[in-house]
Amino acid sequence: MTHQFEKSDIIGSISSLLCLVHCIATPFIIIALSDTINQVNGFPIWLKSMDYIFLTLSFFAVYSSVKKSTTYWVKLGLIVSWTLLLLVIMNEKFAVFELAEETIYLPSLALVFFHIYNLKYCTCKETECCAS
């Protein structure tokens, strides 16, 4: 039986991977839709909202995984990775610092890594949990 904890790591991993795919694919989508974007004065709302959808999903996955994780450094890694992802996305929206587009790949990949590691090595077995 899958525990809620495991589900949060699975959802977090998938969400982070989809976020990464979204970040890689968006420039190609923009090129493909460039005529349409110019005609309607901007990006489609669904394209603009994807960052926030993935960020929200990953927040709840990280929150749930951190509550149930048994290893301190994994908890810290999840929190730091999510925070960096938030900062990179907010920076992208408000252009505070000039960062390479590829900067977003690191926190996304880190979230995938920490969720998968947490799922594999830091889960509670039945009613007992391993020590942190």
Side-chain angles (χ1 to χ4, degrees):
M1 182 172 174
T2 305
H3 300 286
Q4 179 182 357
F5 165 60
E6 292 173 351
K7 288 181 186 175
S8 68
D9 283 318
I10 292 168
I11 290 169
S13 297
I14 292 170
S15 175
S16 299
L17 272 174
L18 288 174
C19 179
L20 185 62
V21 169
H22 163 70
C23 293
I24 293 169
T26 296
F28 299 107
I29 294 170
I30 291 171
I31 290 169
L33 298 175
S34 63
D35 288 339
T36 306
I37 290 170
N38 290 333
Q39 292 172 4
V40 270
N41 281 338
F43 297 102
I45 192 74
W46 63 267
L47 189 59
K48 287 196 264 186
S49 63
M50 294 300 284
D51 290 338
Y52 300 114
I53 291 168
F54 290 129
L55 198 59
T56 302
L57 280 173
S58 66
F59 171 78
F60 288 110
V62 166
Y63 178 77
S64 181
S65 294
V66 165
K67 279 187 359 181
K68 308 283 181 168
S69 182
T70 59
T71 307
Y72 175 77
W73 69 268
V74 173
K75 292 178 184 186
L76 185 62
L78 286 165
I79 292 168
V80 168
S81 298
W82 187 86
T83 303
L84 288 173
L85 183 63
L86 171 68
L87 291 173
V88 170
I89 289 173
M90 290 296 106
N91 184 66
E92 189 176 280
K93 301 299 180 201
F94 299 111
V96 178
F97 301 104
E98 190 165 327
L99 295 174
E101 289 291 321
E102 296 81 12
T103 306
I104 201 162
Y105 300 163
L106 183 62
S108 294
L109 286 171
L111 275 173
V112 171
F113 168 78
F114 284 115
H115 276 298
I116 290 172
Y117 188 90
N118 200 38
L119 180 63
K120 187 162 175 103
Y121 298 109
C122 304
T123 57
C124 296
K125 307 293 182 208
E126 299 303 319
T127 57
E128 294 181 26
C129 290
C130 58
S132 34

PDB file of all heavy atoms in Angstrom, residues 103-121:
ATOM      1  N   THR A 103      19.591  28.297 -15.689  1.00  0.00           N
ATOM      2  CA  THR A 103      19.706  28.321 -14.227  1.00  0.00           C
ATOM      3  C   THR A 103      18.575  27.543 -13.566  1.00  0.00           C
ATOM      4  O   THR A 103      18.773  26.933 -12.513  1.00  0.00           O
ATOM      5  CB  THR A 103      19.714  29.777 -13.717  1.00  0.00           C
ATOM      6  OG1 THR A 103      20.739  30.494 -14.386  1.00  0.00           O
ATOM      7  CG2 THR A 103      19.929  29.848 -12.229  1.00  0.00           C
ATOM      8  N   ILE A 104      17.421  27.539 -14.182  1.00  0.00           N
ATOM      9  CA  ILE A 104      16.264  26.863 -13.587  1.00  0.00           C
ATOM     10  C   ILE A 104      16.409  25.345 -13.587  1.00  0.00           C
ATOM     11  O   ILE A 104      15.758  24.648 -12.813  1.00  0.00           O
ATOM     12  CB  ILE A 104      14.961  27.299 -14.293  1.00  0.00           C
ATOM     13  CG1 ILE A 104      13.766  27.028 -13.391  1.00  0.00           C
ATOM     14  CG2 ILE A 104      14.817  26.628 -15.645  1.00  0.00           C
ATOM     15  CD1 ILE A 104      12.526  27.768 -13.765  1.00  0.00           C
ATOM     16  N   TYR A 105      17.301  24.814 -14.419  1.00  0.00           N
ATOM     17  CA  TYR A 105      17.468  23.367 -14.490  1.00  0.00           C
ATOM     18  C   TYR A 105      18.024  22.796 -13.193  1.00  0.00           C
ATOM     19  O   TYR A 105      17.643  21.694 -12.782  1.00  0.00           O
ATOM     20  CB  TYR A 105      18.395  22.969 -15.640  1.00  0.00           C
ATOM     21  CG  TYR A 105      17.942  23.389 -17.010  1.00  0.00           C
ATOM     22  CD1 TYR A 105      18.825  23.410 -18.071  1.00  0.00           C
ATOM     23  CD2 TYR A 105      16.626  23.781 -17.267  1.00  0.00           C
ATOM     24  CE1 TYR A 105      18.420  23.797 -19.343  1.00  0.00           C
ATOM     25  CE2 TYR A 105      16.224  24.170 -18.527  1.00  0.00           C
ATOM     26  CZ  TYR A 105      17.114  24.166 -19.558  1.00  0.00           C
ATOM     27  OH  TYR A 105      16.720  24.541 -20.807  1.00  0.00           O
ATOM     28  N   LEU A 106      18.924  23.500 -12.541  1.00  0.00           N
ATOM     29  CA  LEU A 106      19.564  22.987 -11.332  1.00  0.00           C
ATOM     30  C   LEU A 106      18.565  22.735 -10.193  1.00  0.00           C
ATOM     31  O   LEU A 106      18.518  21.620  -9.666  1.00  0.00           O
ATOM     32  CB  LEU A 106      20.689  23.915 -10.876  1.00  0.00           C
ATOM     33  CG  LEU A 106      21.479  23.440  -9.669  1.00  0.00           C
ATOM     34  CD1 LEU A 106      22.186  22.127  -9.961  1.00  0.00           C
ATOM     35  CD2 LEU A 106      22.483  24.487  -9.251  1.00  0.00           C
ATOM     36  N   PRO A 107      17.747  23.719  -9.785  1.00  0.00           N
ATOM     37  CA  PRO A 107      16.805  23.411  -8.706  1.00  0.00           C
ATOM     38  C   PRO A 107      15.750  22.385  -9.111  1.00  0.00           C
ATOM     39  O   PRO A 107      15.317  21.584  -8.286  1.00  0.00           O
ATOM     40  CB  PRO A 107      16.174  24.756  -8.351  1.00  0.00           C
ATOM     41  CG  PRO A 107      16.522  25.682  -9.446  1.00  0.00           C
ATOM     42  CD  PRO A 107      17.724  25.141 -10.140  1.00  0.00           C
ATOM     43  N   SER A 108      15.358  22.369 -10.378  1.00  0.00           N
ATOM     44  CA  SER A 108      14.387  21.365 -10.835  1.00  0.00           C
ATOM     45  C   SER A 108      14.967  19.966 -10.737  1.00  0.00           C
ATOM     46  O   SER A 108      14.323  19.044 -10.221  1.00  0.00           O
ATOM     47  CB  SER A 108      13.967  21.634 -12.280  1.00  0.00           C
ATOM     48  OG  SER A 108      13.264  22.839 -12.382  1.00  0.00           O
ATOM     49  N   LEU A 109      16.190  19.799 -11.220  1.00  0.00           N
ATOM     50  CA  LEU A 109      16.849  18.491 -11.130  1.00  0.00           C
ATOM     51  C   LEU A 109      17.120  18.102  -9.681  1.00  0.00           C
ATOM     52  O   LEU A 109      17.004  16.926  -9.311  1.00  0.00           O
ATOM     53  CB  LEU A 109      18.147  18.493 -11.929  1.00  0.00           C
ATOM     54  CG  LEU A 109      17.981  18.446 -13.447  1.00  0.00           C
ATOM     55  CD1 LEU A 109      19.327  18.684 -14.134  1.00  0.00           C
ATOM     56  CD2 LEU A 109      17.379  17.127 -13.879  1.00  0.00           C
ATOM     57  N   ALA A 110      17.476  19.080  -8.862  1.00  0.00           N
ATOM     58  CA  ALA A 110      17.722  18.799  -7.440  1.00  0.00           C
ATOM     59  C   ALA A 110      16.444  18.304  -6.761  1.00  0.00           C
ATOM     60  O   ALA A 110      16.483  17.365  -5.965  1.00  0.00           O
ATOM     61  CB  ALA A 110      18.264  20.046  -6.744  1.00  0.00           C
ATOM     62  N   LEU A 111      15.312  18.919  -7.084  1.00  0.00           N
ATOM     63  CA  LEU A 111      14.047  18.465  -6.506  1.00  0.00           C
ATOM     64  C   LEU A 111      13.736  17.032  -6.929  1.00  0.00           C
ATOM     65  O   LEU A 111      13.306  16.218  -6.109  1.00  0.00           O
ATOM     66  CB  LEU A 111      12.895  19.391  -6.930  1.00  0.00           C
ATOM     67  CG  LEU A 111      12.707  20.634  -6.084  1.00  0.00           C
ATOM     68  CD1 LEU A 111      11.666  21.551  -6.707  1.00  0.00           C
ATOM     69  CD2 LEU A 111      12.308  20.275  -4.659  1.00  0.00           C
ATOM     70  N   VAL A 112      13.947  16.728  -8.189  1.00  0.00           N
ATOM     71  CA  VAL A 112      13.734  15.366  -8.665  1.00  0.00           C
ATOM     72  C   VAL A 112      14.632  14.410  -7.870  1.00  0.00           C
ATOM     73  O   VAL A 112      14.171  13.383  -7.358  1.00  0.00           O
ATOM     74  CB  VAL A 112      14.013  15.237 -10.181  1.00  0.00           C
ATOM     75  CG1 VAL A 112      13.996  13.784 -10.616  1.00  0.00           C
ATOM     76  CG2 VAL A 112      13.012  16.051 -10.986  1.00  0.00           C
ATOM     77  N   PHE A 113      15.910  14.748  -7.773  1.00  0.00           N
ATOM     78  CA  PHE A 113      16.856  13.897  -7.039  1.00  0.00           C
ATOM     79  C   PHE A 113      16.410  13.687  -5.595  1.00  0.00           C
ATOM     80  O   PHE A 113      16.354  12.550  -5.106  1.00  0.00           O
ATOM     81  CB  PHE A 113      18.262  14.504  -7.057  1.00  0.00           C
ATOM     82  CG  PHE A 113      19.194  13.839  -6.081  1.00  0.00           C
ATOM     83  CD1 PHE A 113      19.766  12.614  -6.374  1.00  0.00           C
ATOM     84  CD2 PHE A 113      19.472  14.439  -4.856  1.00  0.00           C
ATOM     85  CE1 PHE A 113      20.612  11.979  -5.459  1.00  0.00           C
ATOM     86  CE2 PHE A 113      20.307  13.819  -3.932  1.00  0.00           C
ATOM     87  CZ  PHE A 113      20.885  12.592  -4.237  1.00  0.00           C
ATOM     88  N   PHE A 114      16.116  14.767  -4.871  1.00  0.00           N
ATOM     89  CA  PHE A 114      15.774  14.643  -3.449  1.00  0.00           C
ATOM     90  C   PHE A 114      14.465  13.875  -3.238  1.00  0.00           C
ATOM     91  O   PHE A 114      14.348  13.096  -2.292  1.00  0.00           O
ATOM     92  CB  PHE A 114      15.722  16.007  -2.766  1.00  0.00           C
ATOM     93  CG  PHE A 114      17.085  16.574  -2.501  1.00  0.00           C
ATOM     94  CD1 PHE A 114      17.500  17.738  -3.138  1.00  0.00           C
ATOM     95  CD2 PHE A 114      17.967  15.954  -1.640  1.00  0.00           C
ATOM     96  CE1 PHE A 114      18.765  18.262  -2.909  1.00  0.00           C
ATOM     97  CE2 PHE A 114      19.234  16.461  -1.402  1.00  0.00           C
ATOM     98  CZ  PHE A 114      19.631  17.623  -2.037  1.00  0.00           C
ATOM     99  N   HIS A 115      13.482  14.077  -4.119  1.00  0.00           N
ATOM    100  CA  HIS A 115      12.237  13.316  -3.984  1.00  0.00           C
ATOM    101  C   HIS A 115      12.480  11.820  -4.223  1.00  0.00           C
ATOM    102  O   HIS A 115      11.971  10.984  -3.479  1.00  0.00           O
ATOM    103  CB  HIS A 115      11.173  13.831  -4.956  1.00  0.00           C
ATOM    104  CG  HIS A 115      10.415  15.015  -4.448  1.00  0.00           C
ATOM    105  ND1 HIS A 115       9.636  14.976  -3.319  1.00  0.00           N
ATOM    106  CD2 HIS A 115      10.314  16.274  -4.937  1.00  0.00           C
ATOM    107  CE1 HIS A 115       9.081  16.161  -3.133  1.00  0.00           C
ATOM    108  NE2 HIS A 115       9.480  16.968  -4.090  1.00  0.00           N
ATOM    109  N   ILE A 116      13.242  11.499  -5.253  1.00  0.00           N
ATOM    110  CA  ILE A 116      13.511  10.085  -5.542  1.00  0.00           C
ATOM    111  C   ILE A 116      14.358   9.463  -4.428  1.00  0.00           C
ATOM    112  O   ILE A 116      14.086   8.351  -3.972  1.00  0.00           O
ATOM    113  CB  ILE A 116      14.168   9.924  -6.923  1.00  0.00           C
ATOM    114  CG1 ILE A 116      13.140  10.256  -8.008  1.00  0.00           C
ATOM    115  CG2 ILE A 116      14.708   8.507  -7.110  1.00  0.00           C
ATOM    116  CD1 ILE A 116      13.706  10.316  -9.405  1.00  0.00           C
ATOM    117  N   TYR A 117      15.369  10.181  -3.961  1.00  0.00           N
ATOM    118  CA  TYR A 117      16.200   9.682  -2.865  1.00  0.00           C
ATOM    119  C   TYR A 117      15.348   9.468  -1.611  1.00  0.00           C
ATOM    120  O   TYR A 117      15.458   8.449  -0.935  1.00  0.00           O
ATOM    121  CB  TYR A 117      17.343  10.655  -2.570  1.00  0.00           C
ATOM    122  CG  TYR A 117      18.341  10.102  -1.590  1.00  0.00           C
ATOM    123  CD1 TYR A 117      19.434   9.368  -2.037  1.00  0.00           C
ATOM    124  CD2 TYR A 117      18.183  10.278  -0.214  1.00  0.00           C
ATOM    125  CE1 TYR A 117      20.341   8.828  -1.137  1.00  0.00           C
ATOM    126  CE2 TYR A 117      19.074   9.745   0.688  1.00  0.00           C
ATOM    127  CZ  TYR A 117      20.161   9.026   0.225  1.00  0.00           C
ATOM    128  OH  TYR A 117      21.055   8.485   1.108  1.00  0.00           O
ATOM    129  N   ASN A 118      14.506  10.445  -1.320  1.00  0.00           N
ATOM    130  CA  ASN A 118      13.633  10.362  -0.155  1.00  0.00           C
ATOM    131  C   ASN A 118      12.693   9.171  -0.274  1.00  0.00           C
ATOM    132  O   ASN A 118      12.484   8.437   0.699  1.00  0.00           O
ATOM    133  CB  ASN A 118      12.837  11.664  -0.026  1.00  0.00           C
ATOM    134  CG  ASN A 118      12.286  11.867   1.353  1.00  0.00           C
ATOM    135  OD1 ASN A 118      12.933  11.560   2.344  1.00  0.00           O
ATOM    136  ND2 ASN A 118      11.088  12.406   1.424  1.00  0.00           N
ATOM    137  N   LEU A 119      12.156   8.950  -1.433  1.00  0.00           N
ATOM    138  CA  LEU A 119      11.249   7.833  -1.663  1.00  0.00           C
ATOM    139  C   LEU A 119      11.956   6.500  -1.471  1.00  0.00           C
ATOM    140  O   LEU A 119      11.423   5.578  -0.867  1.00  0.00           O
ATOM    141  CB  LEU A 119      10.675   7.923  -3.088  1.00  0.00           C
ATOM    142  CG  LEU A 119       9.701   6.843  -3.515  1.00  0.00           C
ATOM    143  CD1 LEU A 119       8.445   6.889  -2.653  1.00  0.00           C
ATOM    144  CD2 LEU A 119       9.341   7.026  -4.980  1.00  0.00           C
ATOM    145  N   LYS A 120      13.184   6.421  -1.957  1.00  0.00           N
ATOM    146  CA  LYS A 120      13.913   5.153  -1.929  1.00  0.00           C
ATOM    147  C   LYS A 120      14.554   4.853  -0.570  1.00  0.00           C
ATOM    148  O   LYS A 120      14.544   3.718  -0.108  1.00  0.00           O
ATOM    149  CB  LYS A 120      14.983   5.160  -3.012  1.00  0.00           C
ATOM    150  CG  LYS A 120      15.682   3.841  -3.176  1.00  0.00           C
ATOM    151  CD  LYS A 120      16.393   3.763  -4.493  1.00  0.00           C
ATOM    152  CE  LYS A 120      17.182   2.503  -4.591  1.00  0.00           C
ATOM    153  NZ  LYS A 120      16.603   1.483  -5.394  1.00  0.00           N
ATOM    154  N   TYR A 121      15.126   5.866   0.075  1.00  0.00           N
ATOM    155  CA  TYR A 121      15.944   5.609   1.268  1.00  0.00           C
ATOM    156  C   TYR A 121      15.419   6.194   2.575  1.00  0.00           C
ATOM    157  O   TYR A 121      15.932   5.831   3.634  1.00  0.00           O
ATOM    158  CB  TYR A 121      17.362   6.141   1.049  1.00  0.00           C
ATOM    159  CG  TYR A 121      18.062   5.475  -0.090  1.00  0.00           C
ATOM    160  CD1 TYR A 121      18.313   6.150  -1.267  1.00  0.00           C
ATOM    161  CD2 TYR A 121      18.475   4.145  -0.001  1.00  0.00           C
ATOM    162  CE1 TYR A 121      18.952   5.543  -2.331  1.00  0.00           C
ATOM    163  CE2 TYR A 121      19.111   3.520  -1.055  1.00  0.00           C
ATOM    164  CZ  TYR A 121      19.351   4.225  -2.214  1.00  0.00           C
ATOM    165  OH  TYR A 121      19.980   3.617  -3.264  1.00  0.00           O
TER     166      TYR A 121
END
